[in-house]
Amino acid sequence: MGARSQKYLIFVIVMEKIIDPVDVRLLIEELTPDKKFMDTNKGNNEIYIVTWQDSPNVVTEIGRLREIAFRAAGGSTGLALDLDEYDKMEKPYQQLIVWDPEAKAIIGGYRFILGTDVSFGADGQPRLASSHQFRLSDAFIRDYLPHVVELGRSFVSPDYQSSKAGAKSIFALDNLWDGIASVVYQHPNIHYFFGKMTMYPSLDRIARDLILHFLWKHFGDKDNLVRPVEPLMPVADPALMDLILHEEGLKEDFRLLKEAVRRRHANIPPLVNSYMTTSPSMLMMGTAGNPEMANIEDTAILVCFDEMYEDKKARHIDTFRRYKLNRIKTRFPLLDPEMEDRIVSNWDKRREKLYTKVKKSIIARRSGHK
């Protein structure tokens, strides 16, 4: 029996019984109007942002659902619920959830922390959930971290992964994008998503290697901004993968990737597919195993919000704009459409101005100028 199989066997033996669902009445008590972030674009769902300190029952239910979802996919903590120090520390990661107001249930979620809220360890590295797998360069910490939101632990509740849930399941991932795009939009100084795309050990090895080869070819971080502590390298021959993925254009090569993965009777994981089709300037920063999560394989990525494909970005932030404008109109009911347009324009101009400043600063430092 190989090393990978032995680790998996041990993982199966020590798995704990998952806790019972949290009483829905406790969830509703904590999901107060002040924690509601917005309505979703599709599916008639709601998005809330909570923390362990202000909503311990909701976060406990998040931990339960995460463990169920990750365990079903083949990688989890094996504990009774999936909560760690980053969920509960003094200034914890915030939890963004999609809530189904009809079924009174959590559809899915992410946890996130803004770079401006990150603390540092004695080794000079930021205290991030990804720190045990990836090391950030001085250039990343200086130029990018103040403008980053780190995302992690994304999940969709098993009840909403089946088509039986109808539109609620179809739009689950889209709803999550509504939330994370809007978190960035409401913070004009935040311009980047930093996080991990997960592939599970059950994915065909050759399909996994082709996906990673494609990512490095088209999105590779050539500046060594972030690197795995212990890199997980493809086992397939790069020369053979080049023969399969031989197109220079992103779209043409992506078509070849999808065909090759399907021939392996596999699929590109939905979240991986979603990120790859989000922005042409995404950076892929290497892959590392995660022994804390049954050896799932995490690939670090950096996505610039301001350089996302315009149609994808607009679809998600337009919902947030409408929601914010409606909140303003409850206070100022005589607000006319012209003034609404002016408010939105001011939001966008402020973001654009700040991003231009950040980008110029990064380019200048790379060129050796102060």
Side-chain angles (χ1 to χ4, degrees):
M1 185 179 289
R4 184 183 294 274
S5 299
Q6 289 175 3
K7 288 180 181 179
Y8 181 74
L9 179 60
I10 293 171
F11 169 71
V12 171
I13 292 173
V14 301
M15 278 200 293
E16 298 178 3
K17 180 182 181 296
I18 296 173
I19 66 168
D20 293 331
V22 175
D23 190 325
V24 69
R25 291 172 296 183
L26 297 176
L27 303 182
I28 294 172
E29 284 179 7
E30 291 182 348
L31 293 176
T32 51
D34 60 302
K35 297 170 190 171
K36 183 176 176 180
F37 184 52
M38 61 181 289
D39 295 312
T40 62
N41 184 34
K42 298 176 180 178
N44 297 316
N45 297 313
E46 300 171 345
I47 294 176
Y48 289 82
I49 294 178
V50 302
T51 65
W52 171 259
Q53 280 80 355
D54 64 38
S55 307
N57 290 299
V58 173
V59 176
T60 297
E61 179 66 2
I62 290 170
R64 184 185 78 88
L65 292 172
R66 287 196 318 214
E67 182 62 26
I68 293 173
F70 298 153
R71 193 177 291 191
S76 71
T77 65
L79 302 176
L81 74 168
D82 174 29
L83 291 181
D84 61 22
E85 61 178 300
Y86 299 100
D87 296 304
K88 295 183 176 183
M89 60 187 184
E90 184 177 350
K91 197 166 187 179
Y93 277 62
Q94 298 180 69
Q95 312 282 344
L96 182 149
I97 62 165
V98 179
W99 174 257
D100 181 348
E102 298 172 9
K104 296 180 174 56
I106 295 173
I107 291 177
Y110 263 94
R111 69 180 181 185
F112 70 91
I113 189 168
L114 303 180
T116 47
D117 292 334
V118 172
S119 59
F120 287 79
D123 62 352
Q125 284 287 300
R127 291 187 62 205
L128 296 171
S130 57
S131 293
H132 70 291
Q133 293 174 280
F134 297 93
R135 185 166 185 83
L136 310 186
S137 68
D138 291 341
F140 185 92
I141 292 171
R142 179 194 64 212
D143 296 335
Y144 291 90
L145 187 61
H147 311 290
V148 156
V149 56
E150 191 199 38
L151 304 168
R153 286 297 206 272
S154 64
F155 75 96
V156 173
S157 171
D159 289 343
Y160 291 87
Q161 292 182 20
S162 168
S163 58
K164 293 179 181 179
K168 298 288 185 179
S169 64
I170 293 172
F171 299 125
L173 195 55
D174 195 73
N175 290 170
L176 287 172
W177 266 108
D178 286 343
I180 61 177
S182 298
V183 164
V184 173
Y185 186 74
Q186 79 153 354
H187 292 91
N189 64 312
I190 299 294
H191 302 287
Y192 300 93
F193 304 111
F194 176 61
K196 301 178 293 186
M197 300 187 295
T198 295
M199 289 188 280
Y200 292 89
S202 57
L203 181 65
D204 176 82
R205 296 292 85 194
I206 302 300
R208 186 281 309 263
D209 285 354
L210 283 166
I211 292 170
L212 294 180
H213 190 78
F214 173 88
L215 286 168
W216 189 255
K217 175 181 176 180
H218 293 284
F219 302 104
D221 165 27
K222 305 304 190 293
D223 294 318
N224 295 316
L225 292 171
V226 176
R227 282 294 177 269
V229 176
E230 296 184 10
L232 184 65
M233 304 302 292
V235 296
D237 185 341
L240 291 177
M241 290 191 287
D242 278 333
L243 290 176
I244 297 170
L245 305 175
H246 56 78
E247 295 285 357
E248 289 301 317
L250 175 63
K251 290 183 179 179
E252 295 79 8
D253 221 29
F254 187 51
R255 176 179 55 79
L256 295 177
L257 174 67
K258 288 189 289 186
E259 291 174 356
V261 170
R262 279 198 293 266
R263 284 198 296 270
R264 300 296 302 179
H265 305 288
N267 293 297
I268 299 172
L271 197 60
V272 175
N273 185 72
S274 178
Y275 276 118
M276 285 198 298
T277 56
T278 293
S279 168
S281 64
M282 181 181 80
L283 290 180
M284 181 270 209
M285 299 161 152
T287 302
N290 190 342
E292 296 179 5
M293 297 284 288
N295 292 317
I296 60 174
E297 297 165 3
D298 291 324
T299 297
I301 58 170
L302 184 73
V303 177
C304 180
F305 171 85
D306 301 85
E307 295 178 8
M308 285 172 57
Y309 291 115
E310 195 58 40
D311 59 337
K312 188 174 183 71
K313 181 170 65 174
R315 183 170 80 247
H316 299 298
I317 64 174
D318 282 351
T319 308
F320 181 66
R321 286 169 174 158
R322 289 196 301 271
Y323 183 76
K324 283 195 71 173
L325 285 171
N326 287 335
R327 295 283 295 271
I328 293 173
K329 286 164 73 172
T330 59
R331 297 175 57 195
F332 305 100
L334 297 181
L335 195 68
D336 59 56
E338 184 178 341
M339 181 59 71
E340 291 179 26
D341 292 342
R342 195 177 306 166
I343 291 172
V344 171
S345 177
N346 287 340
W347 291 340
D348 291 344
K349 285 179 180 178
R350 187 182 181 200
R351 279 203 63 87
E352 183 179 356
K353 182 179 180 180
L354 290 172
Y355 175 59
T356 300
K357 182 178 179 181
V358 168
K359 193 170 184 179
K360 284 183 177 179
S361 176
I362 291 173
I363 292 172
R365 287 193 177 107
R366 285 183 180 176
S367 302
H369 301 296
K370 293 184 179 180

